[in-house]
Amino acid sequence: MLESILSILITGAMISALYALIAIGFTMIFGVGGVLNLAHGALIMAGAYVFMALNREIVASSIALPQVVVFPLAVAIVAGLSYGLYVGLVRYVEDNPVITFLATVVLATAVTEIAIGIFGDQPYSYTVISGNVEVAGTAVSSNDLAGFVLSWIAIGLLWYYVTETDGGRSILAASMSERGARLTGVDLRAVQTRTWLIAGALAGVAGIFLGGGQAATPLMWLNPLALAFIIVVIGGIGSIKGSIVAAYLIGYTETLTVTTLGQGFRGILSLLILLVVLFLLPQGLYGREFVHD
Amino acid sequence: MTEELPPLGRLRSTVQRSILAPSGQAVARALAPIDRALQPAANGFNRLLGSYVGEVTGLQLGLLVASLLALVAAPAWAPLLAGNYMRTLTLACIWAIFAMGWDVQSGYTGYISFGHSALSAAAGYATALLVVRVSPELGFAVTIPLSILAALAFGLLIGLPSLRLSGPYFSLVTFVAVLLFYRLTIGFSETLGGENGFQAVEVFTWDFTMRYYYMLVPMLGVAAALTVVARSNVGMVLVAIRENESAVSAAGLDPTKFKLWSFALSSITMGIGGVLLAHFGGTVDPSTFVVVDRSIEMIAMAVVGGMSSVLGPIGGAFLFVLLRDEVLRLWFGHSTRWIVLWVLVLLVLVFARDGLFRWGWHALGSVGGDRE
């Protein structure tokens, strides 16, 4: 009994760490630009596919790039794609929230078809780090453990950046009040750029480990996006702290559901929690009211 | 948000000034005589029905009558084209109902729902469950009204809690409703049929022509009913909610009540569409009814055609389905057609936000200048 509780605690922590990465990127973009980026899931999928392609498709096995190079390269590419998404599409439509919604979701759907076109509709499995590690009596795949560790490193760096440096603090300022930030001399265009790059990088890291844990599939954007939704709404749209707390809440709920009720019920309980939270706390745990100006 | 005009905006205005405007004027000059010739008929139409469905000009009436005739006469001309156009047009009628159903709620009030496929799924699954679990002998007269009621009930179930929320929160919850529905069909696969759904629903008919009319007539009926609603005071209040909700409540009207009405109206429409889709192919399964892609498709149709109108979603649905199932399939093959289609939708979203058909309709209406 004690062992199974411990194993739920450990497995849940692994998956929750990735959920937190996904949700933080999503919520930062909303906080700063007021943009609900429904193509965020597509960036996660891009992370998995770019890593997989760099790892095994382009480079022949004899001159295989070491993982140490491929990983940051893939993350950088996804960050670039995220920035490209902002410059190429979102900037032209962000004045109208409805059109932004639709444009990003249509883009995500198009990306699915592109992934099917290039890689086929079969799942591609790959590994970031192979093998298993034993943590407190529970077997954990090295992939998940690395994801967990990197997630916390990334969150720690982000925390330091946002609270201790001028560049990061201007992001925080812009997310609190755009007008106030502009009045105090914050360059909003630069803030947007940094936000989209950071969100893209976080999505890239999450995508690589999600794909490594399960497999890269053309529809893998949908579940992370839905999770990001649920987590962000529970934590409060725009709040990084809320995202982390809610990510762990949802991660543990899912692990618990899967171990006690079975794989078929994955997600149902989280959705119910979401509905309850919306009823009791419409703005989420740490959120603020949606005002669009 | 926009301090300086982005380069794309400059390009757009140059194209507007040097290409679109002059050619538009040339077309307008050519069409003006036709407009004048049709004006007496339009005047008669306006006297008779104008107060219910809105006034039209000669050209607009001409276009309406021509497209109506083309739709009714489709069995005569569609088989001449290469491809399975009768089936495609039939499907387009159903999707037009979905697009109108989405639009009467989201397009008019501005509360963007990602969950409308769940409403049609409620109707489809109600039909299937009645036939499979209750009795196969029930007959259309029982199952169809019950299924539409099921869609309405489900719509209110989603609408009552979610309409308390606004902006992105509303959209997120409706999105979640679809996911929840999908998860439930998998989680309770013994009752709800799981991934494969139900195959036992009776189809209206396999005859291509008759089946087309079975879908076309309800579609036109829904269109007429929704036009009357949209032109009534209720339609105006809904648009006012989209523009400024607090102004509506300041005027002494309860926005929540009107939003619920629009959601109920939308649910009934989605229910009609869902029942038709169930009896179109005889199968009710998650990938035909529930998955998020279906919601996104109906949104795309309504937006491409033109939100907050009735003709827009219909035109958008026909354009979308014809492109998807016939034109692009012919040109690009199975998988690439989707990419092309979504890119086209994206272009419309960025460059013609008001939708193609709504824009065309108003352009036609402005031929011949102001009257009186």
Side-chain angles (χ1 to χ4, degrees), chain A residues 92 101-102 223 226 233 278, chain B residues 1 171-173 179 183 299 353:
Chain A
Y92 299 107
F101 257 49
L102 301 178
N223 271 333
V233 172
L278 279 174
Chain B
M1 283 307 285
S171 303
L172 298 186
V173 173
L179 296 176
R183 295 271 162 80
I299 297 172
R353 285 183 188 183

Side-chain angles (χ1 to χ4, degrees), chain A residues 84-145:
Chain A
L85 169 67
Y86 172 62
V87 180
L89 176 68
V90 172
R91 222 170 60 191
Y92 299 107
V93 292
E94 67 183 342
D95 53 316
N96 184 334
V98 173
I99 300 286
T100 315
F101 257 49
L102 301 178
T104 49
V105 78
V106 164
L107 184 79
T109 323
V111 169
T112 313
E113 300 301 331
I114 293 172
I116 294 179
I118 300 177
F119 298 101
D121 55 6
Q122 289 308 307
Y124 257 97
S125 54
Y126 63 90
T127 46
V128 185
I129 303 171
S130 51
N132 285 305
V133 187
E134 191 148 316
V135 181
T138 310
V140 180
S141 77
S142 311
N143 175 72
D144 291 355
L145 189 65

Side-chain angles (χ1 to χ4, degrees), chain B residues 3-318:
Chain B
E3 290 104 357
E4 79 257 41
L5 202 60
L8 205 68
R10 261 205 310 277
L11 177 74
R12 187 160 42 183
S13 69
T14 320
V15 170
Q16 174 74 33
R17 248 182 300 116
S18 55
I19 303 173
L20 290 181
S23 53
Q25 277 157 10
V27 173
R29 264 198 297 281
L31 286 176
I34 309 177
D35 186 44
R36 272 195 299 279
L38 290 171
Q39 195 54 46
N43 288 338
F45 179 87
N46 290 342
R47 262 197 307 279
L48 206 60
L49 294 169
S51 54
Y52 302 107
V53 296
E55 309 245 313
V56 293
T57 67
L59 268 180
Q60 287 174 331
L61 184 68
L63 180 75
L64 268 187
V65 172
S67 17
L68 205 59
L69 284 179
L71 283 179
V72 172
W77 56 263
L80 303 176
L81 302 164
N84 199 351
Y85 272 83
M86 276 323 286
R87 182 178 188 278
T88 307
L89 285 172
T90 312
L91 264 180
C93 288
I94 302 176
W95 281 97
I97 296 179
F98 287 153
M100 285 189 284
W102 179 84
D103 193 60
V104 75
Q105 196 268 313
S106 296
Y108 280 89
T109 61
Y111 278 67
I112 300 298
S113 157
F114 284 125
H116 265 54
S117 65
L119 300 177
S120 59
Y125 271 89
T127 303
L129 286 175
L130 282 173
V131 171
V132 176
R133 305 271 175 237
V134 181
S135 158
E137 314 290 314
L138 284 174
F140 295 139
V142 180
T143 57
I144 291 180
L146 279 182
S147 304
I148 295 174
L149 269 182
L152 177 62
F154 191 69
L156 291 178
L157 196 71
I158 302 178
L160 278 173
S162 54
L163 283 170
R164 287 161 34 118
L165 310 163
S166 63
Y169 289 97
F170 174 78
S171 303
L172 298 186
V173 173
T174 50
F175 186 90
V176 166
V178 179
L179 296 176
L180 194 57
F181 199 124
Y182 180 72
R183 295 271 162 80
L184 287 175
T185 61
I186 306 297
F188 294 92
S189 50
E190 268 134 57
T191 334
L192 292 171
E195 203 65 79
N196 296 319
F198 301 97
Q199 265 79 38
V201 181
E202 194 182 344
V203 292
F204 284 134
T205 165
W206 286 114
D207 180 58
F208 276 141
T209 313
M210 282 317 291
R211 188 169 67 171
Y212 172 67
Y213 285 117
Y214 271 118
M215 308 299 162
L216 178 68
V217 173
M219 193 273 277
L220 294 175
V222 167
L226 289 184
T227 312
V228 172
V229 174
R231 295 283 165 178
S232 70
N233 293 340
V234 177
M236 267 159 61
V237 175
L238 295 183
V239 175
I241 288 176
R242 183 186 62 197
E243 300 300 336
N244 189 341
E245 192 167 337
S246 35
V248 172
S249 37
L253 298 167
D254 181 7
T256 312
K257 199 178 78 183
F258 281 93
K259 284 186 287 186
L260 267 182
W261 272 112
S262 82
F263 214 93
L265 199 61
S266 168
S267 309
I268 295 173
T269 312
M270 296 306 293
I272 296 172
V275 168
L276 292 180
L277 187 58
H279 291 301
F280 169 81
T283 49
V284 176
D285 59 67
S287 64
T288 326
F289 276 88
V290 189
V291 293
V292 182
D293 302 42
R294 299 292 95 82
S295 292
I296 299 172
E297 280 168 35
M298 45 188 99
I299 297 172
M301 290 170 191
V303 174
V304 166
M307 273 159 72
S308 61
S309 65
V310 171
L311 292 175
I314 300 179
F318 274 86

